[in-house]
Amino acid sequence: MSFNFLIDSHTHSISSPDGEESVLNLCQSALEKGIRVLTITDHCELDVYAEQGFEEAAWCSRRDILDAQWAFKGKLEVLLGSEFGQPCHNPAYTKEAESLYKRDFILGSVHNLKDKRDFYYLDYTQENPEEIFGLYLDELLETVEWGGFDSLAHLTYPLRYITGRAKIALDLNKFYDKIDTILRLLAEKDKALEINTSGLRQPIGTLLPEEALVRRFRSLGGKLITVGSDAHRSSDIGFGIEAGLECAKNCGFKSVVYFKNRQAEEVLINA
């Protein structure tokens, strides 16, 4: 299936600790792949905002995105975003980051529990995966209650590593009460849910979240969907975006959105 308007709303440049390429390289790749709107959402990890230099990195990201907007004017719409990780761990840092400069788009996410490392680094043979995932959902709910974002990133993020790498299957039925609470509150607050396509190029091999949870969001009143590759290099820009759009369409969404000046811009899904 081929779609006529492609958007990638979750990407990272060298201003993210794990980013590998410049904003200009990401934009050139997007242009070559037929992406119409590209949002750069470099990491802003708010639990360690001051200690690990995320303020300086944010300014560098902004500078590079503004340069790219000029360089690709008329060819590619390049938008200025941030991924706010762990926004409830340190409210003072979060407030500081919010006031730093105006953005087009903010993703909300949780990459690690309080006093723990990123889920990527955990040894799930030494941890209780069910407990970890349950605590993650608790912190994700706290993030949604805070609400200072536009779209909630990769709802099932820890499964990248629990299921994808450690090969430990979790029964999500055990977590549906928590997941439904999160999705219902997202809908009530008119926040978007992200369909993150990174899992399609990783061992887990699925969208994050999978279609069943996107469908559940719709059934609970969700109206807004963003789609992002979570690319950290130019070769991954746009990867799986069409699969994400097809998922949204299968779940009954007629459109997806991207954000400009923190306002949702609707794009009809036309195959």
Side-chain angles (χ1 to χ4, degrees), residues 117-263:
R117 302 183 74 193
D118 192 302
F119 297 105
Y120 173 87
Y121 295 105
L122 299 185
D123 180 354
Y124 294 100
T125 65
Q126 303 299 315
E127 302 277 357
N128 182 327
E130 285 195 0
E131 181 182 14
I132 290 289
F133 193 67
L135 291 171
Y136 163 74
L137 293 175
D138 291 341
E139 290 204 14
L140 209 58
L141 176 58
E142 189 180 7
T143 298
V144 178
E145 289 170 340
W146 164 68
F149 61 91
D150 304 304
S151 183
L152 186 68
H154 42 54
L155 175 70
T156 50
Y157 175 71
L159 298 187
R160 273 188 190 171
Y161 312 113
I162 294 172
T163 301
R165 187 180 64 208
K167 308 303 181 187
I168 299 169
L170 295 186
D171 180 4
L172 289 188
N173 289 310
K174 297 179 179 179
F175 302 97
Y176 269 159
D177 284 348
K178 289 185 177 185
I179 291 171
D180 282 357
T181 300
I182 290 167
L183 296 179
R184 189 178 292 109
L185 187 56
L186 272 180
E188 289 173 359
K189 287 177 169 282
D190 289 324
K191 301 297 182 183
L193 177 70
E194 179 192 61
I195 298 175
N196 185 294
T197 67
S198 65
L200 297 177
R201 61 179 187 270
Q202 296 171 338
I204 192 171
T206 65
L207 296 168
L208 304 171
E210 293 189 68
E211 188 170 305
L213 294 182
V214 179
R215 194 178 302 276
R216 209 166 180 90
F217 177 56
R218 171 83 172 167
S219 72
L220 293 169
K223 295 180 176 67
L224 303 178
I225 291 287
T226 63
V227 183
S229 67
D230 207 348
H232 289 67
R233 60 182 68 88
S234 61
S235 59
D236 291 334
I237 291 290
F239 188 96
I241 293 298
E242 291 197 2
L245 291 172
E246 186 170 359
C247 173
K249 187 175 182 179
N250 290 344
C251 294
F253 291 94
K254 305 297 184 186
S255 64
V256 296
V257 298
Y258 64 93
F259 283 80
K260 187 172 182 178
N261 297 320
R262 305 293 303 280
Q263 298 297 313

Side-chain angles (χ1 to χ4, degrees), residues 82-87 105-111 140 143 146 148-154 194:
S82 290
E83 182 175 1
F84 277 14
Q86 302 75 249
F105 180 49
I106 294 177
L107 277 168
S109 66
V110 174
H111 296 119
L140 209 58
T143 298
W146 164 68
F149 61 91
D150 304 304
S151 183
L152 186 68
H154 42 54
E194 179 192 61

Side-chain angles (χ1 to χ4, degrees), residues 9-172:
S9 292
H10 187 163
T11 65
H12 299 280
S13 77
I14 52 174
S15 290
S16 292
D18 49 0
E20 297 184 13
E21 296 188 50
S22 68
V23 171
L24 291 176
N25 280 0
L26 301 185
C27 291
Q28 184 60 39
S29 178
L31 188 64
E32 292 169 358
K33 294 173 181 177
I35 303 293
R36 301 279 291 277
V37 181
L38 183 72
T39 306
I40 309 298
T41 52
D42 281 314
H43 286 296
C44 196
E45 302 301 304
L46 296 166
D47 52 339
V48 291
Y49 178 75
E51 293 87 351
Q52 295 188 17
F54 279 97
E55 179 179 1
E56 180 181 356
W59 280 115
C60 291
S61 179
R62 178 182 180 274
R63 176 201 63 205
D64 293 347
I65 293 166
L66 293 179
D67 286 348
Q69 288 175 342
W70 179 84
F72 286 86
K73 187 175 182 180
K75 297 181 287 186
L76 171 71
E77 185 161 18
V78 184
L79 298 175
L80 196 169
S82 290
E83 182 175 1
F84 277 14
Q86 302 75 249
C88 297
H89 285 198
N90 191 319
Y93 286 167
T94 298
K95 186 175 181 180
E96 185 178 340
E98 286 178 302
S99 65
L100 195 62
Y101 53 76
K102 291 183 178 180
R103 299 164 171 87
D104 289 302
F105 180 49
I106 294 177
L107 277 168
S109 66
V110 174
H111 296 119
N112 58 272
L113 301 176
K114 293 180 177 72
D115 302 318
K116 279 191 175 289
R117 302 183 74 193
D118 192 302
F119 297 105
Y120 173 87
Y121 295 105
L122 299 185
D123 180 354
Y124 294 100
T125 65
Q126 303 299 315
E127 302 277 357
N128 182 327
E130 285 195 0
E131 181 182 14
I132 290 289
F133 193 67
L135 291 171
Y136 163 74
L137 293 175
D138 291 341
E139 290 204 14
L140 209 58
L141 176 58
E142 189 180 7
T143 298
V144 178
E145 289 170 340
W146 164 68
F149 61 91
D150 304 304
S151 183
L152 186 68
H154 42 54
L155 175 70
T156 50
Y157 175 71
L159 298 187
R160 273 188 190 171
Y161 312 113
I162 294 172
T163 301
R165 187 180 64 208
K167 308 303 181 187
I168 299 169
L170 295 186
D171 180 4
L172 289 188

